Amino acid sequence: MEQYRWNARVSAKQDTSVRAYVGREQFDVSCALNFDVTRSGISALEYALAALAADVVSGVQQLAKKRRIQLDGVEASVQGVLENPLVCLGVVGEEGSPKLKQIQLKVFVSTPVASEPVNELWEEVLKRSPLASTFADLVELELVMKRA
């Protein structure tokens, strides 16, 4: 089977943000990372973390539908920790790497279904997730499912 390639195009805007184009969709990215909680815009780091959460949550939804497991709701909370974010900002004297060191993803599932089929579904979702599989090889990755 020929490898399928996913594509995106990104171009700089007049300010310091960029615009990403994927298929017929587009979205703005404010910067690599941002410490200002009052700012507008979503950073590249936040998009990456949200993409992981979206990958897993949509995987739970899709597989539950396929297996006829009733879900009342699925929600995720994700946090990331960088080795040294000050390196990314160019702070003089800072050393090390700005790379992601740790990601913690908690998925909350609300369902009347017994635990065993839901736990099996969770394990299968993690096996199928492209982003969870990739991040698992790169960072300390904690993936937890909790019943809501």
Side-chain angles (χ1 to χ4, degrees), residues 77-94:
S77 170
V78 62
Q79 296 179 335
V81 176
L82 300 179
E83 283 190 12
N84 187 349
L86 299 179
V87 172
C88 182
L89 299 177
V91 174
V92 176
E94 289 297 324

Side-chain angles (χ1 to χ4, degrees), residues 38-128:
T38 63
R39 65 42 177 123
S40 62
I42 301 169
S43 73
L45 177 62
E46 291 162 329
Y47 270 116
L49 294 173
L52 171 62
D55 179 12
V56 174
V57 167
S58 67
V60 168
Q61 286 180 303
Q62 292 170 9
L63 193 55
K65 183 176 180 179
K66 184 176 181 180
R67 292 186 180 182
R68 296 189 170 122
I69 295 175
Q70 178 186 340
L71 295 179
D72 297 329
V74 184
E75 185 174 319
S77 170
V78 62
Q79 296 179 335
V81 176
L82 300 179
E83 283 190 12
N84 187 349
L86 299 179
V87 172
C88 182
L89 299 177
V91 174
V92 176
E94 289 297 324
E95 296 180 357
S97 170
K99 70 181 179 180
L100 273 164
K101 175 182 176 182
Q102 178 186 47
I103 299 174
Q104 180 185 59
L105 175 68
K106 292 180 183 176
V107 177
F108 303 91
V109 177
S110 177
T111 178
V113 177
S115 291
E116 186 175 338
V118 176
N119 291 340
E120 290 172 1
L121 176 136
W122 175 248
E123 292 302 320
E124 186 65 24
V125 165
L126 296 182
K127 286 180 191 174
R128 294 182 182 194

